[in-house]
Structures are given as C-alpha cells and as structure tokens.
C-alpha cells in the first residue's frame, strides 16, 4: 500500500483499514509461532502499513484543528 492511496479516505475508512491490518498482523504472529508462516516479509509489510494508516489518521486530526 502506498501512502497516497490513503489521502482521499475518510476517518471511518481508515479506522476500518487499521482494524483489518491489526487482525492480519495477529494472524501472522500466530502463523509464525506455529511454524506455518511462509511469507515472512509480509509481517514487515503489514507493520509498515499500520504505521501509514495511523499517520494518515493523525494528519487528518491535525488538519481539522488548524
């Protein structure tokens, strides 16, 4: 996911995306613990996507205050 994909989304859409990514991150951690994880790079991708979504949410919150 690119950060410019998140620019036009609403707060609700971003929150939904964040919840989905957190669920995926949880499932990946379980797969890793049980030895079933095949794509180890996906863990890093999801972690960074979570950070991108949180950054977009904070930018929206800051823009509304100004």
């Amino acid at each position: 996911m690119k950060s410019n994909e998140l620019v036009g989304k609403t707060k609700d859409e971003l929150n939904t995306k964040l919840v989905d990514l957190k669920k995926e991150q949880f499932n990946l951690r379980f797969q890793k613990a049980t030895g079933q994880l095949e794509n180890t790079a996906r863990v890093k991708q999801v972690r960074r996507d979570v950070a991108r979504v949180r950054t977009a949410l904070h930018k929206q919150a800051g823009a509304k205050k100004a």
Side-chain angles (χ1 to χ4, degrees):
M1 166 189 331
K2 302 272 184 166
S3 59
N4 60 3
E5 295 173 10
L6 302 173
V7 172
K9 297 196 181 226
T10 64
K11 183 179 178 183
D12 291 334
E13 290 173 331
L14 289 173
N15 282 326
T16 303
K17 184 72 172 167
L18 183 62
V19 169
D20 292 341
L21 287 169
K22 292 297 245 174
K23 285 180 184 178
E24 183 178 357
Q25 189 177 33
F26 178 78
N27 289 331
L28 289 171
R29 280 200 314 260
F30 258 87
Q31 288 177 12
K32 184 178 180 185
T34 59
Q36 297 175 348
L37 183 61
E38 293 179 9
N39 186 4
T40 57
R42 185 68 185 143
V43 175
K44 183 177 179 178
Q45 290 172 344
V46 170
R47 190 176 70 239
R48 289 186 177 188
D49 286 345
V50 167
R52 284 186 186 102
V53 171
R54 285 185 174 173
T55 301
L57 283 168
H58 287 291
K59 281 185 180 179
Q60 281 186 356
K64 290 182 181 178
K65 290 181 182 179

